[in-house]
Amino acid sequence: MPFTSLKLKAESGANRIKSADDAYSFLMHMRLSNQNKPHWQAARQALNHAGVSDASEIHAWRTFRAAAAAEGWLLD
């Protein structure tokens, strides 16, 4: 399973994202103003295709991680 666990800061609304399904659910429960930011739109598109192959899931993980980092929500 290529999508490895990510720890997020509390202000993000989540503590840990364990799978592509968790990431997608987190994204869909996010405020619309955040969902419309370009980095979250890219993450949503990548997550929509995460189940196609391992390479797609790795791409989704990287894209989601980059979006969380852009918001300052990623724990080191």
Side-chain angles (χ1 to χ4, degrees), residues 30-70:
M30 191 182 295
R31 290 187 343 195
L32 190 57
S33 60
N34 284 338
Q35 285 184 26
N36 287 332
K37 292 180 181 178
H39 50 272
W40 288 117
Q41 288 178 347
R44 183 176 59 230
Q45 183 176 7
L47 287 165
N48 281 336
H49 301 288
V52 174
S53 67
D54 285 348
S56 295
E57 194 163 344
I58 291 168
H59 176 68
W61 178 81
R62 288 179 179 160
T63 307
F64 183 85
R65 187 177 187 279

